[in-house]
Amino acid sequence: MTRQPNLLFIMSDDHASHAISAYGSRINQTPHLDRIADGGMRMDGVFCTNSICTPSRAAILAGTYNHVNGVTTLATHMDNSLWTFPKALQGAGYQTGMFGKWHLGHGPKHDPSGFDFWRVLPGQGHYHNPVMVQAGNSDGSSQIVERGGYVTDLITDDCLSFLDRRDPERPFALFCHHKAPHRSWEPSREHATMYDDVDIPEPDTFRDDLVGRAEVIQAVKMRMMDLDPIVDLKSPVPSGLTEDEEISWRYQRYIKDYLRVVASIDDNVGRLLDRLDDEGIADDTIVVYTSDQGFFLGDHGWFDKRLMYEQSLNMPFLIRYPARIEPGSTNDDIVTNVDFAPTFLDLAGVEGSPKMQGRSFASLLDGETPDDWPTSMYYRYWMHRDGDHLCPAHYGVRTRTHKLICYYNAPLGQPGALGPADPMEWELFDLVNDPLEVHNIIDAPEAAAVRAELEAELARVQAEVGDAPFVPQ
Ligand code: CA
């Protein structure tokens, strides 16, 4: 009988592909993440269906879109009685553990479920000396644990302890969910002075003036000047700088801390990979590295995520499974976070649930793309005008060549989505001729035919997943 594979699922928070050297980063090196790519597959077409922490996590665990699992915004927590793929693995005899960032709510109705053991950060958690919450009290309530040290190291320590304690005769599914590199990017002492002597290159669209883009996009508060000097940049702004100079100074402060925090993730991923090697179980273990969404690293002048632009929409996805995946391979087919659950169950030979909306991409890992593989994906960001970022509510469709975005700009009563509503606006990008997404061609006469095609495709994918179009009141 073929042994069922172990699953080591490592997910960071807000780590964009373009800060991973396996994806050709121009700004850092990630040798340990690259080990996963070198020994397996780098997937280039993986997208989140809602680019924000809590909803993306729910989509991954439940294998459903947010209008189905109910986790539409940061203020909606996941009902832990929902079917999830870790529950299916646990039910099939897997030893399951969840460590690190949960961010799907706390208390009897929202604590992690489907895990033999879990220890998570409350809410966002802290980088240094974090408090954690774990299963344990006999009345079902959780225990508070005070930890000393740096969060990325501690989460990794907990994962290694889980491996120490497990029964080696049964497969495991281990979830290592890093808090890093989420805002406010606080490095460990070991990495505090990394990059001190270098200038990190600014991205091509760093000075994007956003001309021609939707008005709500021009109003988004995610520019370098919107970073808090003390909290985010850990320094008062030096006096005597021109505005251009200050923007560049802010970028350097921001991106260096982001990359220092990423360096700690990379080191700690190395510790986990070394353990698999030392135990001789690397061949039997599926290792995944991903992030709950992407992030703007100065692209379009922004930080943060939320929007359907590529750097935010795209998720890094590196997967190694020597028994099945060709080392050093790549794939650029369109996959979403809703597809993760059916894929992992498929690889484990465990039955899924009819509730899942995604589709297993195991055949893509084998190097074969089925003829009917999707060539488009549906996206929806439900929040509107949250207090800090002012990002608009929108939905859209991305194909292999184009992207159509409808900023419907209304809160629709969603928790955490604020009013007032704004007039509806649209954007259309040609990703082949304008991969940087700086030319909105929504009103270009020569794009009329492609616009009509994309509008029809948006309606089709929206109906296919069971979501409904916005209807102005
Ligand atoms: Ca996130």
Side-chain angles (χ1 to χ4, degrees):
M1 190 183 126
T2 312
R3 189 183 153 84
Q4 283 181 302
N6 304 306
L7 173 64
L8 170 57
F9 181 80
I10 310 169
M11 180 162 69
S12 55
D13 191 340
D14 295 1
H15 190 182
S17 307
H18 52 317
I20 296 176
S21 38
Y23 281 99
S25 169
R26 299 191 308 156
I27 57 175
N28 69 333
Q29 292 293 316
T30 51
H32 297 293
L33 299 182
D34 295 3
R35 285 165 66 185
I36 305 174
D38 292 343
M41 180 177 277
R42 186 194 76 210
M43 300 193 73
D44 295 340
V46 179
F47 302 105
C48 59
T49 49
N50 184 353
S51 182
I52 193 84
C53 306
T54 306
S56 178
R57 286 153 198 273
I60 288 169
L61 291 172
T64 52
Y65 289 81
N66 296 133
H67 63 278
V68 171
N69 58 47
V71 185
T72 51
T73 71
L74 286 178
T76 51
H77 294 154
M78 188 170 80
D79 176 345
N80 62 12
S81 68
L82 285 181
W83 179 92
T84 64
F85 84 89
K87 287 182 183 175
L89 290 172
Q90 188 185 43
Y94 272 72
Q95 303 166 82
T96 56
M98 157 70 67
F99 301 95
K101 184 157 177 187
W102 175 243
H103 209 200
L104 288 160
H106 298 288
K109 291 185 175 156
H110 306 295
D111 278 338
S113 62
F115 304 101
D116 302 342
F117 188 78
W118 54 267
R119 179 185 279 167
V120 299
L121 296 161
Q124 297 283 6
H126 294 293
Y127 273 102
H128 294 280
N129 304 320
V131 167
M132 293 188 180
V133 185
Q134 68 182 29
N137 290 332
S138 52
D139 65 356
S141 63
S142 50
Q143 297 174 343
I144 303 287
V145 195
E146 291 186 25
R147 308 293 298 282
Y150 185 66
V151 71
T152 308
D153 299 333
L154 295 170
I155 292 167
T156 306
D157 292 346
D158 286 345
C159 290
L160 292 169
S161 299
F162 172 86
L163 293 176
D164 289 339
R165 291 193 310 265
R166 81 187 196 282
D167 170 5
E169 299 304 314
R170 288 192 294 136
F172 65 82
L174 172 55
F175 295 79
C176 174
H177 286 195
H178 287 300
K179 165 189 173 56
H182 193 277
R183 195 178 188 179
S184 49
W185 316 294
E186 297 171 36
S188 72
R189 234 190 329 255
E190 290 164 81
H191 299 101
T193 58
M194 197 175 181
Y195 305 113
D196 265 4
D197 301 327
V198 294
D199 265 351
I200 307 292
E202 294 172 355
D204 292 338
T205 58
F206 187 59
R207 305 280 169 177
D208 188 353
D209 58 12
L210 302 176
V211 166
R213 256 56 60 77
E215 284 189 27
V216 284
I217 288 302
Q218 297 183 41
V220 156
K221 288 178 71 71
M222 303 198 308
R223 312 285 290 201
M224 292 299 118
M225 294 304 272
D226 298 315
L227 287 162
D228 184 288
I230 302 306
V231 174
D232 296 320
L233 307 178
K234 297 102 182 169
S235 166
V237 179
S239 56
L241 299 181
T242 64
E243 183 170 326
D244 264 4
E245 287 167 346
E246 182 176 339
I247 289 170
S248 288
W249 176 85
R250 282 171 173 262
Y251 169 75
Q252 293 297 326
R253 293 292 303 185
Y254 155 60
I255 200 68
K256 286 182 181 181
D257 271 349
Y258 182 93
L259 296 177
R260 289 165 181 142
V261 168
V262 166
S264 175
I265 295 175
D266 190 63
D267 287 352
N268 277 289
V269 167
R271 292 173 66 204
L272 287 171
L273 297 179
D274 287 348
R275 169 61 70 87
L276 301 182
D277 290 342
D278 292 346
E279 285 201 34
I281 56 172
D283 284 351
D284 293 329
T285 303
I286 302 161
V287 179
V288 172
Y289 182 81
T290 188
S291 170
D292 55 352
Q293 11 60 212
F295 213 68
F296 296 109
L297 304 177
D299 311 279
H300 305 285
W302 291 322
F303 66 95
D304 215 79
K305 58 262 185 179
R306 299 161 193 273
L307 303 179
M308 204 183 157
Y309 284 50
E310 288 293 275
Q311 295 82 8
S312 158
L313 180 69
N314 182 248
M315 305 167 81
F317 196 93
L318 306 174
I319 180 165
R320 188 182 81 179
Y321 180 21
R324 188 145 175 185
I325 302 173
E326 182 82 17
S329 54
T330 61
N331 174 279
D332 68 354
D333 289 310
I334 290 181
V335 163
T336 72
N337 54 355
V338 170
D339 299 322
F340 293 6
T343 303
F344 298 144
L345 294 179
D346 188 2
L347 293 174
V350 171
E351 196 173 341
S353 160
K355 293 176 179 153
M356 296 187 302
Q357 294 182 291
R359 175 170 169 181
S360 168
F361 54 86
S363 55
L364 307 186
L365 302 175
D366 293 335
E368 288 162 18
T369 304
D371 291 342
D372 63 344
W373 192 259
T375 53
S376 67
M377 56 83 57
Y378 178 63
Y379 179 86
R380 184 163 188 173
Y381 177 76
W382 287 84
M383 293 172 73
H384 185 63
R385 286 181 162 269
D386 75 291
D388 289 337
H389 307 85
L390 289 188
C391 281
H394 56 291
Y395 52 62
V397 65
R398 186 201 189 281
T399 68
R400 290 176 66 85
T401 57
H402 290 83
K403 184 183 293 177
L404 177 72
I405 311 172
C406 171
Y407 300 99
Y408 63 89
N409 292 334
L412 301 179
Q414 297 293 313
L418 308 177
D422 296 287
M424 185 186 281
E425 297 181 88
W426 294 79
E427 288 180 341
L428 173 60
F429 296 104
D430 176 341
L431 301 175
V432 177
N433 294 307
D434 176 31
L436 297 178
E437 299 172 295
V438 292
H439 300 295
N440 175 19
I441 54 171
I442 192 71
D443 293 320
E446 65 275 17
V450 73
R451 175 180 178 165
E453 268 174 44
L454 268 282
E455 284 176 350
E457 181 63 6
L458 173 59
R460 189 191 70 76
V461 291
Q462 191 167 50
E464 183 177 69
V465 304
D467 200 8
F470 171 71
V471 180
Q473 297 300 306

